[in-house]
Amino acid sequence: MPEPPRHNLPAEPNRFVGRERDLDDLRGLFGRTRVVTLCGVGGIGKTRLALRVAAGLVPAYPDGIWLVELARLGRAELVVPELARVLRVGEESNRPLLDTVTARLRDLRCLLLLDNCEHLVDRCAEVTAGLVAACPRLSVLVTSREPLRIASELIWRVPPLDLPNTESADAESVQLFLDRAAAAGTRLGPGSLPDVIRLCRALDGLPLALELAAARTSLLSPGQIADRIDDRFSLLTTGGRTAPARQRTLLAAVEWSYDLLSAKEQVLLRRLSVFAGGFDLDLAEQVCAEPPISRAEIVDLLGGLVDKSLVLCDEGRTRYRLLETIKRYAVGRLEQAGEREVLRERHLSVLCELQERHFATEMVEPGVPWPARLRALTAGKSLLDDQRVALDWAAESGNASPALRLCTTSTGLLPVGGNPAEIVGWIERLLALDLSGVTGEQIAHAKAFLAYGLEARDELGRSLEVARESLAGMSPANTFARCVMHSLIVVVLLRMGRPDEAVHHAEEGLAIATRSGDAWNQAAGLAGLSAVALTRGRLREAQRHGEEALARAREHSHRWIMARTAAQLGAVAEARGDLVTAKRQYEMTVPWLRELGNDADLARCLARIGRVAAMLHEFGTARERLAASLALSRETGQRQGVARCLVGLSVLAEYERDLEAAVLAAAAAATLRESIGQHSATIRIEALLGRARAKLGDGRTASLWSRGRATSPDDAARHVLEGERPAPEPAAAAEPVRRSLLTARELEIAHLLTRGLSNRAIAEELVISPATVARHIANIMEKLGYTSRAQIAVWAAERPSGSSA
């Protein structure tokens, strides 16, 4: 299996020209400083230079280099959620998201590239300063038109490309112009060199200005372009004259490029500025095709803008975007044309229509095959950035009704495919607006989504209250949403330990779904009845409902509801003691959840598989699944998931006859759960401690529990995952405490000490780290009651290598 990428840097769109000295110097800085900010005017090449620097640093950062693009964010409060999204960190209940991000980065050697910070500079400065202070191995590369102005920052002013001093073509600016002109299909001969040099000097070596000019060489000669640029400078007599020279140069180049467009190309360019980032042809046609341009004209007009380097596209010409400098210019032109409000409303309206269509295909319509449902889910997710921009505009303008409509048609913001914190934040913000023009049905529907998000955030009491309000205000005709609310209430009540109340809602939701032929909610209702029956100990009933639930889920075909019902059958099988079936049911969900990219549910399922595999004595599988679950929970910053893995590792250790490691892992899990406000599984822990006291004695068990409470989750997990196993028990009775069983690895190290080897020499022989050797020796001393390596060596010399007693 290929190693997963350690960065999210995009492929370079064309050849990188010049700045070799800058690249070497900047990369060298990261050995001496941790925050470098590339400053300069828009269009000077900050982003391109930063990406090139970062690409060359990939080997130096084993935990990855992660690009966080901030240009499309309109509000400071979105900085941390965007950072979390890039790092795949999910929000935890009762914990600030920045704390979770910080915990994820604390021990990593990685580089963050924060691109285009200028409009959010204060918040970026706060976040960067906090992360650098808390994460000693983290480095940050920033691009911004102004510095962050934090204590640890090194500011690098990005210079223009070198200008020619003679009639030579060696200067960086000349090389860039010639390269981009060739890309536009123009081969310039030596006779053009004087005009190219004049143009490069006129444009001050600004990369974006040079690229815009080079794109025009298919129509105009370099001399003609230079003459027109000079004319443009003469027009900058008001406003522009007070700007720095390079800003006036860039404005001249952009304005000149804009003025050379046809009237309809100008209209399209400024309208494209409403999009948050990337967009496809279909979206451009739906939003921008208003008089004076028709939908049929969009494709050719867009192609013309691409050819003129004002719009960028991917290799297949399926996704397009505007450079930030061009976009900001186009926004201004849109406002000057008086089209901003009209386009924003059109953008919001089109998104509502698209997301409603995707939602219906993915979730509601019967008989849709899974590939089509997946395409709808993927398409809905691809619109999330635009959705955020549209919701921001609607909230700022008090336009609550269409904004609520948009919020309640996006599965990308639900636990099925996204972060529940975001849907909670949006709906709470919108419900706080003037709702006089919003129908009661629409408010009830919005509260249904709010309740869904609150449950995923573990706010159970509030979720139950909001869900009941939603049901009370919802029309009986809205059967899909009513069924979802009944199923949600079942989940909440079961989590609150109230199964007698839950059964009514499971039956009511199932009845509505059956009457309407809704396979999704039939599956959800049957899964709820199965969960209620399982809680009551009615295993046959739970099995019957679970099998029917999975059948309805398969009929619907959505992988999320199929995974949920299969996992429910796994829980029933586990309760029956049929571990083979339980493991098979849990394993069934893994490819489905991976296809959805649902990390939280996948981590939970992998932990279940690991625990059951341990009880089946399939220790290799158990270790592999628990390690994968642990890694996923760490990567997404989910402490609840880490605690779940520690419980599974405790089971694994006990079944491998390492009772001491089982107690340590359970104690670490209990401490972690308490730190996030959750109660430990008291019955299981007491049973484990009872077995430990019977075998190890009260004192030793108490000591292990205390030690485990003070052990970090990572250390407790590593203790089990390293594969330590105790040696076979001797026939004779062991000595108390001094003769407690050592693990096989501890015995191996004890016998190596008889040869007088150092920790490093032992580490080299066993292919482990010296720190691991030191930890093992400390464990041996504690178990045997010794205080020196010599005592261990004498003890080991008196026993054959296969014995610990």
Side-chain angles (χ1 to χ4, degrees):
M1 180 179 296
E3 182 180 346
R6 292 185 294 138
H7 65 82
N8 65 337
L9 304 175
E12 291 192 297
N14 45 34
R15 191 169 75 90
F16 187 88
V17 177
R19 300 199 188 277
E20 292 303 324
R21 185 179 63 253
D22 293 343
L23 289 171
D24 292 340
D25 291 346
L26 281 166
R27 287 168 184 160
L29 287 176
F30 282 94
R32 305 189 298 273
T33 189
R34 295 174 55 208
V35 181
V36 176
T37 299
L38 305 186
C39 283
V41 66
I44 204 164
K46 300 183 296 294
T47 296
R48 189 69 189 272
L49 177 59
L51 291 171
R52 186 75 169 188
V53 169
L57 289 170
V58 168
Y61 289 94
D63 296 311
I65 292 181
W66 307 108
L67 169 64
V68 185
E69 298 176 292
L70 301 173
R72 69 181 188 280
L73 304 185
R75 295 182 289 120
E77 55 264 35
L78 297 177
V79 171
V80 174
E82 179 63 14
L83 179 57
R85 185 192 68 79
V86 170
L87 295 171
R88 294 173 57 242
V89 169
E91 186 176 48
E92 298 180 279
S93 59
N94 304 317
R95 190 188 198 192
L97 183 55
L98 183 56
D99 288 356
T100 305
V101 170
T102 303
R104 167 71 183 130
L105 294 172
R106 182 166 288 120
D107 299 321
L108 300 185
R109 178 164 175 74
C110 66
L111 173 71
L112 294 180
L113 200 175
L114 306 182
D115 188 35
N116 285 305
C117 294
E118 54 272 357
H119 61 305
L120 305 166
V121 68
D122 291 339
R123 182 56 174 156
C124 288
E126 293 171 5
V127 171
T128 301
L131 289 176
V132 169
C135 308
R137 305 174 71 200
L138 173 70
S139 298
V140 184
L141 177 58
V142 177
T143 74
S144 178
R145 297 188 187 187
E146 62 176 297
L148 299 185
R149 297 185 176 87
I150 60 177
S152 54
E153 179 184 31
L154 187 150
I155 301 167
W156 179 283
R157 301 287 179 182
V158 179
L161 295 177
D162 290 343
L163 294 174
N165 293 321
T166 64
E167 299 303 306
S168 169
D170 293 336
E172 292 176 339
S173 56
V174 174
Q175 288 297 313
L176 178 66
F177 184 88
L178 293 175
D179 183 86
R180 299 307 190 253
T186 306
R187 297 290 178 181
L188 298 173
S192 300
L193 185 58
D195 285 330
V196 171
I197 289 173
R198 179 163 65 96
L199 182 57
C200 290
R201 288 171 177 165
L203 294 176
D204 281 346
L206 283 171
L208 178 57
L210 290 166
E211 295 201 14
L212 292 175
R216 279 292 178 180
T217 55
S218 59
L219 298 175
L220 299 170
S221 71
Q224 291 172 312
I225 296 172
D227 292 340
R228 283 158 177 76
I229 288 291
D230 287 338
D231 289 342
R232 172 58 60 193
F233 287 148
S234 69
L235 298 177
L236 297 175
T237 55
T238 58
R241 285 293 185 190
T242 63
R246 290 193 184 110
Q247 289 185 9
R248 286 186 278 120
T249 302
L250 181 62
L251 177 61
V254 175
E255 285 194 333
W256 172 75
S257 295
Y258 183 82
D259 287 346
L260 288 177
L261 299 177
S262 69
K264 290 185 177 181
E265 285 177 328
Q266 290 178 349
V267 171
L268 179 58
L269 181 66
R270 64 183 183 241
R271 288 180 179 178
L272 293 175
S273 69
V274 301
F275 298 125
F279 56 90
D280 59 21
L281 176 62
D282 182 63
L283 188 60
E285 288 174 337
Q286 294 191 61
V287 173
C288 302
E290 293 286 327
I293 54 178
S294 68
R295 181 165 185 158
E297 293 175 294
I298 296 287
V299 62
D300 289 333
L301 293 172
L302 188 57
L305 294 175
V306 170
D307 292 341
K308 298 172 181 68
S309 296
L310 292 166
V311 173
L312 303 181
C313 66
D314 60 19
E315 291 183 2
R317 288 210 173 193
T318 58
R319 297 287 294 176
Y320 302 83
R321 67 182 177 89
L322 274 65
L323 284 172
E324 184 60 20
T325 299
I326 302 299
K327 181 178 177 180
R328 293 190 183 197
Y329 178 83
V331 166
R333 285 290 189 170
L334 188 69
E335 292 178 351
Q336 289 174 18
E339 292 183 321
R340 180 177 181 271
E341 299 301 311
V342 173
L343 262 291
R344 283 290 172 205
E345 289 180 5
R346 177 70 177 158
H347 184 234
L348 175 60
S349 174
V350 168
L351 288 174
C352 286
E353 294 167 6
L354 287 173
Q355 293 291 46
E356 284 176 345
R357 193 187 316 152
H358 296 324
F359 185 90
T361 300
E362 182 198 349
M363 307 287 285
V364 181
E365 293 172 1
V368 177
W370 169 240
R373 295 199 192 278
L374 179 59
R375 283 194 297 273
L377 172 59
T378 303
K381 282 186 176 183
S382 74
L383 294 172
L384 286 181
D385 283 339
D386 275 292
Q387 180 166 321
R388 293 176 181 115
V389 169
L391 289 174
D392 251 336
W393 175 79
E396 289 168 4
S397 58
N399 207 354
S401 181
L404 286 172
R405 176 188 169 201
L406 180 55
C407 267
T408 53
T409 54
S410 176
T411 56
L413 294 179
L414 291 177
V416 172
N419 189 340
E422 187 164 7
I423 194 68
V424 170
W426 279 119
I427 293 183
E428 286 182 334
R429 182 181 177 191
L430 295 171
L431 289 178
L433 299 176
D434 178 7
L435 302 179
S436 56
V438 182
T439 66
E441 175 72 16
Q442 194 172 21
I443 292 173
H445 200 163
K447 285 184 175 180
F449 271 60
L450 176 59
Y452 210 125
L454 290 169
E455 185 276 330
R457 293 177 61 180
D458 299 324
E459 297 182 42
L460 301 183
R462 193 163 162 237
S463 174
L464 182 60
E465 177 186 355
V466 173
R468 285 175 168 162
E469 290 175 1
S470 174
L471 273 178
M474 202 179 293
S475 163
N478 194 350
T479 57
F480 189 90
R482 290 187 69 84
C483 289
V484 169
M485 279 303 90
H486 282 298
S487 292
L488 177 67
I489 291 173
V490 171
V491 171
V492 172
L493 289 172
L494 287 176
R495 292 186 65 188
M496 298 174 77
R498 295 155 61 178
D500 292 341
E501 297 174 58
V503 67
H504 159 71
H505 288 281
E507 291 172 343
E508 180 67 15
L510 177 60
I512 296 172
T514 302
R515 288 195 298 270
S516 61
D518 177 353
W520 171 286
N521 281 304
Q522 286 180 59
L526 287 162
L529 287 174
S530 176
V532 170
L534 180 59
T535 302
R536 291 171 162 177
R538 301 174 181 173
L539 299 185
R540 289 184 180 178
E541 182 182 338
Q543 179 71 22
R544 186 180 75 253
H545 287 316
E547 289 173 352
E548 293 175 5
L550 181 55
R552 296 290 80 72
R554 288 185 182 279
E555 179 184 324
H556 184 277
S557 82
H558 199 298
R559 297 304 189 244
W560 190 81
I561 193 67
M562 287 166 59
R564 180 187 167 191
T565 52
Q568 174 60 28
L569 275 174
V572 175
E574 196 173 343
R576 290 200 320 267
D578 185 355
L579 300 180
V580 173
T581 299
K583 178 170 172 283
R584 185 174 67 247
Q585 292 294 153
Y586 292 144
E587 289 278 13
M588 190 185 300
T589 71
V590 171
W592 298 338
L593 294 171
R594 281 190 173 140
E595 189 174 16
L596 287 170
N598 190 320
D599 291 341
D601 284 344
L602 178 58
R604 183 182 299 111
C605 190
L606 290 171
R608 287 172 170 171
I609 295 168
R611 185 189 67 243
V612 172
M615 292 188 285
L616 287 167
H617 292 259
E618 297 175 7
F619 299 135
T621 298
R623 184 167 273 99
E624 184 269 328
R625 290 305 203 190
L626 286 166
S629 176
L630 182 64
L632 202 54
S633 295
R634 282 173 178 157
E635 288 170 8
T636 54
Q638 300 302 293
R639 291 177 295 170
Q640 182 177 348
V642 172
R644 187 184 300 115
C645 289
L646 286 171
V647 172
L649 290 169
S650 175
V651 173
L652 171 61
E654 185 173 8
Y655 273 81
E656 288 187 316
R657 296 185 302 104
D658 192 348
L659 196 55
E660 295 190 349
V663 173
L664 286 171
T671 303
L672 183 57
R673 280 180 164 167
E674 288 169 12
S675 74
I676 57 179
Q678 293 187 344
H679 296 294
S680 300
T682 307
I683 296 175
R684 187 199 170 278
I685 286 178
E686 284 304 320
L688 170 65
L689 293 178
R691 293 188 292 273
R693 292 185 188 104
K695 186 169 184 179
L696 305 175
D698 290 350
R700 179 63 183 155
T701 300
S703 174
L704 286 166
W705 183 260
S706 177
R707 179 178 154 201
R709 298 273 289 181
T711 300
S712 73
D714 284 353
D715 285 344
R718 194 180 301 114
H719 189 75
V720 180
L721 288 173
E722 282 183 349
E724 302 166 351
R725 294 177 178 82
E729 295 184 21
E735 297 174 8
V737 185
R738 283 176 56 88
R739 298 278 179 93
S740 294
L741 292 175
L742 301 188
T743 67
R745 178 51 58 85
E746 288 168 350
L747 276 172
E748 194 173 17
I749 290 174
H751 281 279
L752 288 173
L753 287 175
T754 64
R755 293 160 49 189
L757 298 181
S758 67
N759 285 5
R760 182 168 297 280
I762 293 172
E764 290 175 355
E765 184 155 335
L766 298 180
V767 197
I768 58 178
S769 71
T772 300
V773 174
R775 188 171 67 251
H776 283 310
I777 291 175
N779 290 342
I780 296 169
M781 288 180 179
E782 182 179 1
K783 291 180 179 182
L784 300 180
Y786 293 150
T787 58
S788 73
R789 297 160 66 94
Q791 288 175 301
I792 298 173
V794 171
W795 178 89
E798 294 174 350
R799 289 159 182 80
S801 60
S803 173
S804 65

